[in-house]
Amino acid sequence: MGSALFRGGIHPPDKKELSADKPITEARPPQRVVIPLSQHLGAPCKSIVAIDQKVKKGEMVGEAGGFVSAPVHASVSGKVIAIGEFPNAMGRIIMSVVIENDMKEEWAILRDSPDYMKLPPDELKEKIKEAGIVGMGGAAFPTLVKLSPPKEKPIDTVILNGSECEPYLTGDYRLMLEKPVEILEGLKILMKVLGVTRGFVGIEDNKPLAVKAMKEAAEGQAGIEVCGLPTKYPQGAEKMLIKSITGREVPPKALPMDVRVVVQNIGTSFAVYEAARYGKPLIDRVVTVTGDGVREPKNLLVKIGTLVSHLIEECGGLKDEALKVISGGPMMGFAISALDVPVTKGTSGIVALTEGEIAHAGDFSPCIRCGRCIDACPMGLMPSMLSVYAEKGFYEGAKEYNLFDCFECGSCAFVCPSKRPIVQLIRVAKSQVKP
Amino acid sequence: MEITKRPLIVSVSPHIKSEETTSRIMWSVSASLLPAMVMSAYFFGPRALFTVGLCIAASVLSEYLFQTALKKKITVNDGSAFLTGLLLGMNLPPSVPFYIPVIGSFVAVIITKQIFGGLGFNIFNPALIGRAFLLISFPRLMTIWTEPSAAFIALDARTTATPLGILKEEGQARLIELFGDKLHLYAQLLIGHRAGSLGETSAIALLIGAAFLLYRGYITWHIPLSFLGTSALIAWVFGAQGALFAGDPVLHLLSGGMILGAFFMATDYVTSPSVKNGQIIFGIGCGFLTMLIRLKGGFPEGVMFAILIMNCFAPLIDRGFKSKIFGLKKK
């Protein structure tokens, strides 16, 4: 396994040493949480609480707004003090429920199932649905949808994505060290739901301890294989991971299910276990708060809805040199302008970068056709041509160069010696033409 | 809550970038030509440094004045004008009068590069257009070759013919005779003790620079190897008069501007294809045209015209050899 490595990719400095040795600790409970009703790809939730209503920890506050959606729950016990529009980390304004924490940590009644592995797949699926689980790697795609492939698309493999190829982030790494058994239980639940006998955990080999921990946990478990994968960004991109582990290539415009594979994130698998075993909804997650711009990098277990400012404060605050704060990793995350935005189900990290670490956005020069981006593109595209077409406004031309196969991993812009904002130009082009 | 002292920067991902910059590449390529320049100064004397220095100064100044006049951003610090001047100088004969470098630099930087929009937009290799312009405009001055001497008294050096010139006019036997024996000829070509353009003669010094560029990843093997491989093959098959498969590929590779052209000129990013498969086609084309000119054309040397002709095809080659899209089945 791992012999069919994808082409392209880059080796950015991973900077994981800042937080890799910090065990996961629980973040201090916040005074209030802001729970956006849309934390996932798909239809937003509908609020089912009213202002002044008392809610318990784990109680549903927003019900799923459709099939491609996931309910949201209170992450603290307390009182709903506002339902209104608040900014999220991506700069969008989202309907959110604000709950004041009464610090009592009173749980809603959860459906405990010690014998969860004996439950029929449909019941397990129901638990995952009720828990509001979404992909926790960043894209936040509702897990239930991935677990409900159409009949004509059989699945034969589940892959857990432990590559955590984004620089700086160490949340999945810590989780694999600290909760390997639970993660594998989550994988087994996923396999059962999908009726699959083959499960893989793919981990980049720059994390030997995680590979070891997961291998030990997987010992004697039928059908489960832990694979160390070569370290290369974006190893953790779904299509790249599938290629590295199974040798299958997801065709353009197709989904992993088209090559009979479902990929889930490490954190997601852990959440699936917690949902199946304890009936616990997805109300907290591991967030790496790191970067040279933050005083004490940490891996924190954070209640969904906690404000970024609260976490940064807990990590000793920002250094004076901090110039950019990112929600997610530095390759694909979002720069945030104000720190009073909530952590959501998809927030894998908060990275504060200093001047030395930042790519300057303003100053770029013309493409010199060096071809570095072409060599780096894991999708086999020609980012140089895409960026030139987009820059000149020839969006249809960009389409001919397979514009919509780009998933914006940023490898091209990372290697570009002219510092061209290639991803930005590609996104402009995507917004201007129909796929 | 005020926990940031300054406003945070917001921009689109990725938020980190490699340290590689265009100017670092340009300066590194310039630095890689240093061994060849040292050898040039050794064989052709201080005059070599003067000529090359003049090319560099004129190139940088041309770019500066042009950009100032047109109120454009001054980009002389990116090193590309410097490199163009350096390469032009290395492609000139040792004894050219001072106005030759000036005119050549003007043509290279302003006509070939800036008029087309500056770095990244030129179709042709600027230094080679500069040289081609000079060769056509001053055919006599551009073909006076002085004999190399290691004595630093090159100002009144004797004129002679280049190995390729002798090969063309008098044949291979005469060339070997002039150098004593075949092994000695190879050795002299390798070390650079022969007539030729200022920076092209020392194959070994050029190869040291090329190795540095390959090691640093500034160039890849695709263009040089296909260029040299094709040339060697053609030289071997058709290089000898009257018989097939009797030519001398080593002689062809080590003479003229082959090494300089294959590693430092044909690999120019802007004017060569950016897709690897396309680069191989580009290199094969360069090799084919070079040997066609050397064996059948009117000029003894064909590297310059070969690269310039292939420059025209670079965009077309890129179109034809689009990279393979992930997941797309090959037809």
Side-chain angles (χ1 to χ4, degrees), chain A residues 312-323:
Chain A
I312 286 182
E313 213 179 331
E314 176 146 5
C315 294
L318 292 180
K319 293 182 192 163
D320 291 347
E321 307 93 271
L323 266 186

Side-chain angles (χ1 to χ4, degrees), chain A residues 239-300:
Chain A
K239 290 183 172 183
M240 279 67 245
L241 188 68
I242 293 169
K243 165 93 178 173
S244 294
I245 290 183
T246 67
R248 298 175 195 166
E249 283 193 16
V250 181
K253 297 187 182 72
L255 295 169
M257 67 163 104
D258 293 306
V259 294
R260 310 183 300 284
V261 177
V262 166
V263 178
Q264 295 289 356
N265 169 267
I266 290 292
T268 312
S269 182
F270 183 67
V272 163
Y273 162 76
E274 287 195 315
R277 170 66 183 82
Y278 304 108
K280 185 187 155 194
L282 179 49
I283 56 167
D284 52 22
R285 66 157 298 143
V286 181
V287 177
T288 308
V289 183
T290 183
D292 283 339
V294 72
R295 288 208 164 81
E296 299 164 47
K298 283 178 182 171
N299 295 297
L300 293 171

Side-chain angles (χ1 to χ4, degrees), chain B residues 40-226:
Chain B
S40 179
Y42 178 69
F43 285 124
F44 298 107
R47 176 104 184 230
L49 295 178
F50 173 76
T51 302
V52 174
L54 198 56
C55 280
I56 292 170
S59 290
V60 172
L61 194 67
S62 296
E63 181 149 300
Y64 179 81
L65 291 177
F66 182 87
Q67 290 176 330
T68 308
L70 269 74
K71 297 191 174 63
K72 287 176 158 228
K73 200 175 141 209
I74 310 291
T75 60
V76 291
N77 284 337
D78 69 16
S80 87
F82 182 98
L83 179 58
T84 296
L86 177 59
L87 284 170
L88 176 64
M90 295 178 79
N91 274 287
L92 294 180
S95 58
V96 288
F98 74 93
Y99 56 86
I100 290 286
V102 176
I103 294 171
S105 300
F106 175 86
V107 171
V109 170
I110 296 193
I111 310 274
T112 320
K113 194 173 91 173
Q114 288 300 338
I115 296 266
F116 281 84
L119 180 63
F121 297 107
N122 49 302
I123 298 166
F124 297 103
N125 187 312
L128 287 180
I129 287 286
R131 184 183 190 273
F133 180 88
L134 294 173
L135 182 65
I136 294 162
S137 310
F138 307 95
R140 227 188 63 76
L141 285 176
M142 287 293 288
T143 47
I144 297 174
W145 309 101
T146 43
E147 203 153 82
S149 71
F152 270 98
I153 44 149
L155 285 174
D156 56 350
R158 288 189 303 131
T159 64
T160 177
T162 63
L164 280 181
I166 298 164
L167 193 64
K168 183 135 212 146
E169 301 304 325
E170 300 170 71
Q172 191 172 329
R174 171 75 182 138
L175 182 62
I176 294 170
E177 189 190 319
L178 277 175
F179 279 82
D181 58 61
K182 206 168 186 176
L183 213 62
H184 193 244
L185 168 65
Y186 288 168
Q188 296 296 69
L189 290 178
L190 204 61
I191 205 96
H193 193 256
R194 55 128 165 136
S197 294
L198 282 171
E200 72 176 22
T201 63
S202 179
I204 190 83
L206 288 166
L207 287 173
I208 289 169
F212 167 74
L213 293 183
L214 284 165
Y215 170 73
R216 291 286 295 269
Y218 288 146
I219 61 172
T220 57
W221 58 267
H222 301 79
I223 291 176
L225 200 70
S226 53

Side-chain angles (χ1 to χ4, degrees), chain A residues 33-157:
Chain A
V33 290
V34 179
I35 303 196
L37 288 166
S38 179
Q39 305 186 20
H40 47 261
L41 278 176
C45 296
K46 295 186 200 77
S47 165
I48 53 167
V49 289
I51 289 188
D52 283 341
Q53 186 180 329
K54 290 258 183 197
V55 291
K56 286 184 174 156
K57 196 173 166 184
E59 191 177 325
M60 193 186 287
V61 296
E63 63 178 16
F67 174 64
V68 184
S69 185
V72 294
H73 303 77
S75 54
V76 296
S77 61
K79 195 171 77 173
V80 175
I81 55 169
I83 300 171
E85 293 183 320
F86 290 86
N88 74 355
M90 295 170 195
R92 298 201 186 95
I93 304 293
I94 306 282
M95 244 351 207
S96 309
V97 175
V98 184
I99 302 166
E100 189 159 61
N101 191 355
D102 63 11
M103 301 290 170
K104 288 181 189 152
E105 302 276 324
E106 270 184 275
W107 278 90
I109 298 158
L110 303 179
R111 277 201 303 144
D112 194 21
S113 330
D115 267 343
Y116 56 92
M117 275 317 270
K118 290 188 181 141
L119 296 176
D122 278 349
E123 217 163 301
L124 287 169
K125 231 165 111 171
E126 191 58 30
K127 278 173 167 280
I128 290 166
K129 179 183 172 186
E130 277 174 20
I133 295 174
V134 302
M136 289 164 75
F141 191 72
T143 300
L144 179 74
V145 182
K146 278 189 174 180
L147 298 181
S148 313
K151 281 241 156 44
E152 67 275 14
K153 299 206 168 151
I155 303 294
D156 63 12
T157 305

